[in-house]
Amino acid sequence: MGNLVSICDVKDDVQHILDLAIKIKSGEIEEQPLEGKTLAMIFQKSSTRTRISFDVGMYQLGGRAIFLSSSDLQMGRGEPIYDTAKVLSRFVDGIMIRAVEHCDVVELAQHSDVPVISGLTNVEHPCQAFADILTIKEHFGTLENKKICFVGDGNNVCNSLLLIAPILGMDMSVACPKGYEPNKFILKIAKEYAEENNTEITVSDDINVALDNVDVVYTDVWISMGDEAEEIQRKKDLSAYQVDLDLMDMANEGAIFMHCLPAVRGQEVTVPVIDGPHSVIFDQAENRLHAQKAILYHFLKDE
Ligand code: CP
Ligand code: NVA
């Protein structure tokens, strides 16, 4: 049994899960591999894509998902994570959780007797990263030597991409203002992975430097869930990092634009970019379903 709290948890399985996602998307797997299985889905934050793709994914694999809003659970009234983990493990075959604090998901996974899959925390968004690499692979036919540049706030989405990119032979740069760099510990691990795989990870506040030889331009909101109190300061600090057509022109010819969504048009990205020919945002959103079915298959299917 394993968990997917961080991309680090599946370092040796990333390629396998990606291959599985490609197979699943093309219809090449048995029809109901998760027949009779149940996934509990705990949400401490809002969600459109994650909630629906996990629910539909479980259904399509022959199982079912139960939506649990944390405000309705006893956990929301203070029941310990330990007890919640033990009790849920007696009822369900897997737990998906979108949590405010990363450490709560780590604790849940420590005590759960069934696999725990993170559906986003303040530190990582591993399922999103799988959908993203599936999208890049489909678009270019390969990931080897492709370079992704994350522009803006070095947040949870950026962190998971930093970990997954070098594992698959990709280079990655981050263009962010000072003070908005990705998590230090994640960056350190990502650089170790990059060294092992002969790829490169760089972080710069200079957009011109970060955009050198880039195939994928990726951005995310400037104000993530939980950052609302810093709205004014963040808009000021990040204003020079908006992805517009001039910025896209700095990337390689044929470069694509990606965003995990939800997006704020006119803030982190302009309309001509997100709704223009570079954009693959809806393929990316659809791939949440296929990538997560692969993750569910990997973690929940009986051997
Ligand atoms: N990208 C993503 O996780 O979207 P939701 O917040 O809608 O789940
Ligand atoms: N960085 C964003 C991602 C939403 C899917 C957030 O955490 O709100």
Side-chain angles (χ1 to χ4, degrees):
M1 192 203 91
N3 302 297
L4 178 55
V5 178
S6 164
I7 291 293
C8 300
D9 296 333
V10 288
K11 188 189 170 208
D12 298 329
D13 299 317
V14 164
Q15 185 66 55
H16 169 70
I17 294 172
L18 175 61
D19 293 344
L20 204 54
I22 293 167
K23 265 196 197 158
I24 286 174
K25 189 169 179 179
S26 67
E28 270 179 62
I29 57 146
E30 61 189 284
E31 271 185 4
Q32 305 270 282
L34 299 189
E35 193 176 353
K37 303 271 182 193
T38 305
L39 178 76
M41 305 194 297
I42 303 173
F43 281 89
Q44 294 180 344
K45 291 174 170 180
S46 309
S47 170
T48 297
R49 282 143 287 267
T50 304
R51 176 175 174 180
I52 298 169
S53 53
F54 266 109
D55 197 334
V56 172
M58 276 305 286
Y59 171 73
Q60 291 181 353
L61 292 170
R64 63 168 302 205
I66 306 175
F67 171 75
L68 303 162
S69 159
S70 65
S71 56
D72 298 333
L73 285 176
Q74 294 291 6
M75 200 169 87
R77 292 180 55 243
E79 183 168 18
I81 291 175
Y82 176 85
D83 291 359
T84 306
K86 291 295 175 200
V87 171
L88 285 180
S89 299
R90 300 289 176 110
F91 295 136
V92 300
D93 304 284
I95 303 169
M96 195 287 301
I97 177 165
R98 168 165 287 195
V100 175
E101 298 296 341
H102 190 78
C103 57
D104 288 348
V105 181
V106 172
E107 190 183 342
L108 187 75
Q110 245 163 20
H111 301 304
S112 172
D113 303 311
V114 297
V116 170
I117 300 167
S118 167
L120 179 147
T121 69
N122 55 329
V123 179
E124 274 203 57
H125 198 356
C127 294
Q128 180 70 51
F130 272 101
D132 298 342
I133 54 160
L134 174 60
T135 311
I136 299 169
K137 166 100 179 161
E138 282 177 341
H139 190 87
F140 293 108
T142 179
L143 297 170
E144 283 289 315
N145 301 320
K146 292 289 166 201
K147 181 173 173 185
I148 175 166
C149 177
F150 189 97
V151 183
D153 179 22
N155 63 15
N156 44 8
V157 171
C158 176
N159 289 336
S160 288
L161 285 170
L162 276 168
L163 292 170
I164 211 165
I167 295 173
L168 292 162
M170 296 180 75
D171 295 324
M172 180 158 166
S173 60
V174 180
C176 62
K178 291 202 165 63
Y180 291 82
E181 291 88 359
N183 179 293
K184 260 195 231 121
F185 299 102
I186 300 243
L187 196 55
K188 186 170 171 284
I189 299 167
K191 284 189 171 169
E192 285 166 15
Y193 290 177
E195 209 174 300
E196 281 167 33
N197 292 309
N198 213 13
T199 69
E200 204 173 54
I201 301 275
T202 56
V203 178
S204 174
D205 62 350
D206 186 336
I207 291 175
N208 290 288
V209 171
L211 262 290
D212 180 48
N213 191 28
V214 161
D215 305 290
V216 179
V217 177
Y218 198 122
T219 194
D220 186 15
V221 287
W222 292 344
I223 298 130
S224 283
M225 291 179 277
D227 292 335
E228 291 80 3
E230 299 168 15
E231 181 176 347
I232 295 168
Q233 189 63 44
R234 284 178 162 266
K235 281 186 186 163
K236 215 164 87 188
D237 295 342
L238 287 150
S239 61
Y241 292 80
Q242 183 186 62
V243 177
D244 58 13
L245 286 174
D246 289 341
L247 189 147
M248 286 305 300
D249 275 347
M250 292 160 71
N252 290 345
E253 207 182 323
I256 55 172
F257 170 77
M258 298 181 76
H259 193 308
C260 59
L261 304 181
V264 185
R265 284 170 173 75
Q267 205 167 96
E268 72 273 8
V269 58
T270 61
V271 170
V273 172
I274 195 166
D275 296 321
H278 299 289
S279 180
V280 296
I281 55 166
F282 297 121
D283 293 335
Q284 194 184 347
E286 178 191 326
N287 279 337
R288 291 296 305 278
L289 173 65
H290 308 298
Q292 268 150 221
K293 282 167 78 176
I295 291 166
L296 289 165
Y297 187 101
H298 179 77
F299 284 101
L300 268 58
K301 185 172 181 314
D302 296 325
E303 287 311 313

